[in-house]
Amino acid sequence: MSVRTGRNRAAKNVLIHLVLIAGALVMVAPFVWMVLTSLKTLGESTQVPPVIWPTALQWENYTHIFEMLPFYDFYWNTILTTVVKVVGQVFLCSLAAYAFARIEFPGRNALFIVFLSVLMVPGQVFLLPQFLIMKELGWLNTLTALIVPGLFSAFGTFLLRQFFMSLPKELEEAAKLDGCNHFQIYWRIMLPLAKPGLIALAIFVALWSWNDLMWPLIVNSTPDKMTLSAGLAYLTGEHTNMTNYPILMAGSVLAIWPMIIVFIFLQKHFVEGITLTGSK
């Protein structure tokens, strides 16, 4: 009986691993195809049936992208806006989340429901009001217009509120006995304990900001103020006579590798933060 149980368990593990490997291959395939296409000629990228492996690796595609577009400006704009948004959301959302989770004040639950209602509204609804505000402030075609609307989010507040609620109240009570005020409790006790949740939010914000396309295209029209995602849109057929897929894919490869590195190094904290956020 034990031998049969062991065999069934081993067969089950093999099946699970095969399913996971198949899923991983499906998810990695588009990335592999993007890398291979970035090393093809234009003719090979549009050939039918498709050419999987290029006959000669066209490494010059990665240099042409810098000749065709101000790619260094795209990188700088993307890095700057992403870093400021991450820092801003982590700080402001954690402040609001601590208030909703730990501070008793009239109308707290009703106000939090109003915050959650923002998550139910499609983001496209806010594009026109935000654009008009940026226009009235004279911020169009500036990096300020890319940064300010992304400094706070209802999702980040909700995520960190759930994390703060999972922390033991005894820590807060002990800090109050020692004479700490709410900000000292937030800054010295709660914030260090919420590190996994903060890292999870930082990764979410970084990915969202790095990949944001619609908002940069709406508020900015000058190339030197574009981000990577918006700048690469100039390589599509809408802006050129013909889409050069190898160069477009080369630019895409250059655009995504920083986020891949960030996730590889922080994935443990990311998973831990998401797991602990839903523990209560």
Side-chain angles (χ1 to χ4, degrees), residues 74-84 210 228 258:
F74 294 166
Y75 251 115
W76 167 247
N77 295 338
T78 306
I79 292 173
L80 178 62
T81 56
T82 299
V83 170
V84 176
W210 196 272
L228 283 169

Side-chain angles (χ1 to χ4, degrees), residues 12-217:
K12 183 179 179 180
N13 289 335
V14 170
L15 180 61
I16 291 175
H17 281 80
L18 290 176
V19 172
L20 292 175
I21 291 173
L25 291 176
V26 171
M27 298 183 67
V28 172
F31 176 77
V32 175
W33 183 261
M34 178 179 63
V35 174
L36 292 177
T37 303
S38 70
L39 299 173
K40 297 176 183 178
T41 62
L42 179 59
E44 289 175 335
S45 66
T46 58
Q47 185 174 329
V48 179
V51 176
I52 298 178
W53 189 265
T55 54
L57 301 180
Q58 307 295 317
W59 294 106
E60 59 271 18
N61 290 333
Y62 286 87
T63 59
H64 290 337
I65 188 70
F66 290 92
E67 299 170 357
M68 299 176 63
L69 297 171
F71 213 71
Y72 290 111
D73 292 336
F74 294 166
Y75 251 115
W76 167 247
N77 295 338
T78 306
I79 292 173
L80 178 62
T81 56
T82 299
V83 170
V84 176
K85 286 180 183 178
V86 168
V87 174
Q89 282 210 28
V90 167
F91 178 66
L92 295 177
C93 291
S94 61
L95 275 175
Y98 175 77
F100 281 123
R102 295 297 192 178
I103 300 177
E104 295 286 345
F105 58 89
R108 182 184 68 169
N109 294 332
L111 183 58
F112 184 67
I113 292 175
V114 174
F115 266 78
L116 290 184
S117 66
V118 176
L119 299 176
M120 305 176 188
V121 181
Q124 292 79 1
V125 175
F126 302 109
L127 291 178
L128 181 57
Q130 288 178 346
F131 174 81
L132 294 177
I133 293 173
M134 297 299 107
K135 182 180 178 181
E136 292 297 324
L137 292 174
W139 289 353
L140 295 182
N141 290 316
T142 65
L143 294 181
T144 305
L146 299 178
I147 294 173
V148 172
L151 289 179
F152 184 82
S153 75
F155 169 76
T157 303
F158 170 74
L159 181 73
L160 295 181
R161 173 186 177 271
Q162 299 304 109
F163 197 95
F164 283 132
M165 290 182 66
S166 67
L167 299 177
K169 292 184 178 181
E170 289 77 11
L171 296 173
E172 183 180 2
E173 294 172 353
K176 289 180 179 180
L177 291 176
D178 290 336
C180 293
N181 56 38
H182 280 298
F183 185 80
Q184 290 173 327
I185 296 173
Y186 155 80
W187 186 259
R188 297 180 180 180
I189 299 176
M190 295 299 177
L191 209 58
L193 294 176
K195 180 180 177 181
L198 298 176
I199 293 177
L201 176 61
I203 293 177
F204 274 126
V205 177
L207 290 175
W208 166 75
S209 177
W210 196 272
N211 297 324
D212 191 19
L213 173 62
M214 186 175 297
W215 182 245
L217 285 177

Side-chain angles (χ1 to χ4, degrees), residues 167-274:
L167 299 177
K169 292 184 178 181
E170 289 77 11
L171 296 173
E172 183 180 2
E173 294 172 353
K176 289 180 179 180
L177 291 176
D178 290 336
C180 293
N181 56 38
H182 280 298
F183 185 80
Q184 290 173 327
I185 296 173
Y186 155 80
W187 186 259
R188 297 180 180 180
I189 299 176
M190 295 299 177
L191 209 58
L193 294 176
K195 180 180 177 181
L198 298 176
I199 293 177
L201 176 61
I203 293 177
F204 274 126
V205 177
L207 290 175
W208 166 75
S209 177
W210 196 272
N211 297 324
D212 191 19
L213 173 62
M214 186 175 297
W215 182 245
L217 285 177
I218 291 175
V219 295
N220 286 341
S221 58
T222 56
D224 60 326
K225 301 299 181 182
M226 289 288 184
T227 57
L228 283 169
S229 56
L232 289 174
Y234 277 89
L235 295 175
T236 60
E238 182 180 354
H239 301 281
T240 60
N241 294 329
M242 182 177 181
T243 301
N244 193 321
Y245 292 105
I247 294 182
L248 178 60
M249 293 299 103
S252 301
V253 172
L254 293 174
I256 67 173
W257 69 264
M259 288 296 99
I260 294 177
I261 294 177
V262 168
F263 185 78
I264 289 175
F265 281 99
L266 298 179
Q267 62 176 328
K268 178 180 177 181
H269 299 285
F270 176 75
V271 175
E272 181 182 0
I274 296 298

